[in-house]
Amino acid sequence: MRTLLDKLEREHRLSKAEFASLLRARDPDLEREAARRADAVRRRCYGADVYIRGLIEFTNCCRNDCLYCGIRRSNAHVERYRLTEEQILSCCREGHMLGYRTFVLQGGEDPKWGPERIADLVRTIRTDWPDCAVTLSVGEHSRAVYQLWFDAGAERYLLRHETADDAHYRTLHPPEMSPEHRKKCLWDLKDIGYQVGAGFMVGSPGQTEEQLAEDLCFLYELQPDMVGIGPFIPHHDTPFRDRPRGSLEQTLFLLSLIRLMLPTVLLPATTALGTIHPQGRELGIRAGANVCMPNLSPTAVREKYALYDDKICTGDESAQCRQCLAARMASAGYQVVVGRGDRAGRQERAPCPHPAPLRPAHRDPSDYKNI
Ligand code: SAH
């Protein structure tokens, strides 16, 4: 198995069968070795820096009915909310003071937050905080809509492909959703010029090692700038309420394999990982991740954005989350940095309303500030 790790580190790719055999091994020594190598690779690209993104969950209204998701359309027990522009901007104001230079606007596919309204919001944020990047994560839309938001100043887009296996995709989603369309969205986003994030849940109901291997092959083909993975965690009001959580070990192993395959990728240690283990995010960073996305949403709405049960940090103020994270990263031997945290080698693109000269935070030690 170690020879497969050697090959992955050297050639940055393996066949589907090779990935599957690594994933089937379930060997703690192999997983430790992969984490050690992945950490060395991330340190070569990013040092000990951890990039942070302020996550603003601005609407839990969604037209979709994904079977795993707590805010799916048919869950009548969710108290629905949508933040106003003023509330979102006030999250950004607080986030900027706390040292965030990327805001991630995430939500359900909410018809009341239509394309023009989101474009206006992006424009306002980019104008008010020209030193910040805006990441959108609002699901599947037409190429024209993605272009509108890009032109408004959004530079990054997160859209997990959820699973690259067509049959598995159909067991996780209602018939009106298709794996082809989800993948088409990712290719459109990439073609437009976004820094694109794909990803998947680990341990989603019925998932096999072969399907995870397919996910890794898809990521190699897509060559995304970011990869978001986290364990599946059941939500009590969904059809998957009784299915087991994804495993910590398998998620960490996959983070390491992804780091070895895509050395400079931006790889978050997700909230879901922090939910299944008290030190999940620290372990994720040690296994090769280099990004964290603490919550910037107003405390009053956090519990309502429940994609899964037992989500952490729902009671904390944004400042508490920020401090807690800095302390956690420091205890693991890493440092949270202030900066946009672009992918190594990628520059800020031009059409920002008021462009500010910026470089990746890790290049300039004067940018380091542990708050
Ligand atoms: N509407 C947006 C944002 C989805 S929420 C979109 O479609 O992209 C972000 C991610 O949370 C999803 O892509 C999914 O992978 C993850 N997620 C949803 N339900 C989950 C669950 N029960 N356990 C773990 N992760 C979940």
Side-chain angles (χ1 to χ4, degrees):
M1 286 298 161
R2 293 200 178 211
T3 55
L4 285 182
L5 284 187
D6 291 339
K7 185 174 172 196
L8 179 58
E9 202 171 351
R10 204 174 49 240
E11 298 175 18
H12 304 300
R13 78 179 301 180
L14 293 176
S15 69
K16 184 176 162 186
E18 287 169 328
F19 274 132
S21 65
L22 277 174
L23 290 164
R24 271 194 304 265
R26 308 257 173 168
D27 171 356
D29 285 339
L30 181 71
E31 291 164 9
R32 257 193 302 277
E33 174 63 15
R36 194 189 60 73
R37 294 182 190 207
D39 187 50
V41 169
R42 69 79 59 126
R43 281 174 192 273
R44 273 204 296 281
C45 301
Y46 293 103
D49 290 357
V50 173
Y51 295 157
I52 49 168
R53 286 57 168 105
L55 180 62
I56 305 173
E57 298 157 337
F58 71 103
T59 173
N60 72 352
C61 305
C62 191
R63 64 180 176 190
N64 284 333
D65 216 19
C66 308
L67 276 75
Y68 45 83
C69 184
I71 62 168
R72 64 201 300 261
R73 180 182 70 218
S74 59
N75 182 4
H77 298 120
V78 185
E79 198 185 320
R80 304 285 171 178
Y81 74 89
R82 48 177 71 88
L83 300 182
T84 62
E85 280 77 357
E86 292 69 35
Q87 285 174 308
I88 297 168
L89 295 175
S90 119
C91 293
C92 295
R93 202 167 301 119
E94 182 177 19
H96 196 263
M97 278 186 323
L98 292 171
Y100 292 100
R101 295 296 178 267
T102 293
F103 301 120
V104 180
L105 300 175
Q106 189 179 84
E109 292 184 22
D110 178 358
K112 293 259 170 62
W113 265 100
E116 292 295 343
R117 189 171 173 201
I118 290 183
D120 285 345
L121 175 67
V122 169
R123 237 175 262 120
T124 307
I125 295 175
R126 295 293 327 265
T127 307
D128 289 358
W129 294 281
D131 57 342
C132 294
V134 172
T135 305
L136 290 176
S137 178
V138 286
E140 297 177 37
H141 297 273
S142 68
R143 185 180 171 121
V145 167
Y146 289 147
Q147 184 71 55
L148 174 77
W149 294 338
F150 187 76
D151 294 340
E155 290 165 277
R156 308 183 188 145
Y157 203 101
L158 301 179
L159 184 77
R160 292 187 179 180
H161 61 282
E162 309 298 0
T163 170
D165 182 274
D166 288 2
H168 188 46
Y169 188 95
R170 292 185 198 284
T171 68
L172 301 179
H173 298 94
E176 65 272 17
M177 292 179 76
S178 80
E180 295 81 18
H181 190 259
R182 193 115 184 138
K183 287 182 188 155
K184 178 187 179 298
C185 288
L186 283 165
W187 290 111
D188 282 346
L189 288 160
K190 200 172 155 133
D191 201 41
I192 288 169
Y194 280 96
Q195 292 185 40
V196 173
F200 53 90
M201 286 177 292
V202 180
S204 55
Q207 187 182 53
T208 63
E209 281 87 1
E210 283 68 30
Q211 289 163 345
L212 285 168
E214 181 72 34
D215 286 317
L216 294 174
C217 293
F218 174 69
L219 290 177
Y220 183 82
E221 190 192 341
L222 181 68
Q223 293 286 317
D225 299 285
M226 305 167 277
V227 175
I229 69 162
F232 161 75
I233 304 173
H235 184 287
H236 60 278
D237 276 328
T238 64
F240 293 151
R241 62 179 68 83
D242 296 323
R243 310 305 289 262
R245 294 173 160 192
S247 96
L248 174 74
E249 291 75 18
Q250 203 177 29
T251 307
L252 296 175
F253 190 39
L254 279 156
L255 284 171
S256 301
L257 297 181
I258 292 167
R259 171 63 65 205
L260 294 175
M261 180 171 74
L262 304 167
T264 62
V265 81
L266 295 163
L267 194 58
T270 55
T271 306
L273 189 55
T275 297
I276 61 163
H277 187 280
Q279 270 86 47
R281 285 168 299 174
E282 293 89 317
L283 292 167
I285 297 289
R286 292 166 93 150
N290 69 326
V291 174
C292 275
M293 296 170 59
N295 207 312
L296 261 186
S297 312
T299 322
V301 302
R302 286 192 192 184
E303 295 227 338
K304 298 179 194 156
Y305 197 82
L307 309 179
Y308 46 80
D309 290 340
D310 306 324
K311 190 175 159 197
I312 52 170
C313 308
T314 51
D316 297 348
E317 297 293 337
S318 299
Q320 278 171 277
C321 282
R322 175 69 180 79
Q323 271 159 11
C324 164
L325 191 76
R328 283 171 177 272
M329 292 304 128
S331 75
Y334 300 86
Q335 63 203 349
V336 165
V337 294
V338 171
R340 285 167 42 105
D342 285 295
R343 187 178 185 185
R346 263 194 90 134
Q347 297 296 312
E348 185 192 12
R349 73 186 170 81
C352 160
H354 302 290
L358 287 161
R359 36 195 172 358
H362 70 284
R363 296 275 161 77
D364 181 354
S366 68
D367 280 344
Y368 296 170
K369 225 188 286 165
N370 278 307
I371 299 177

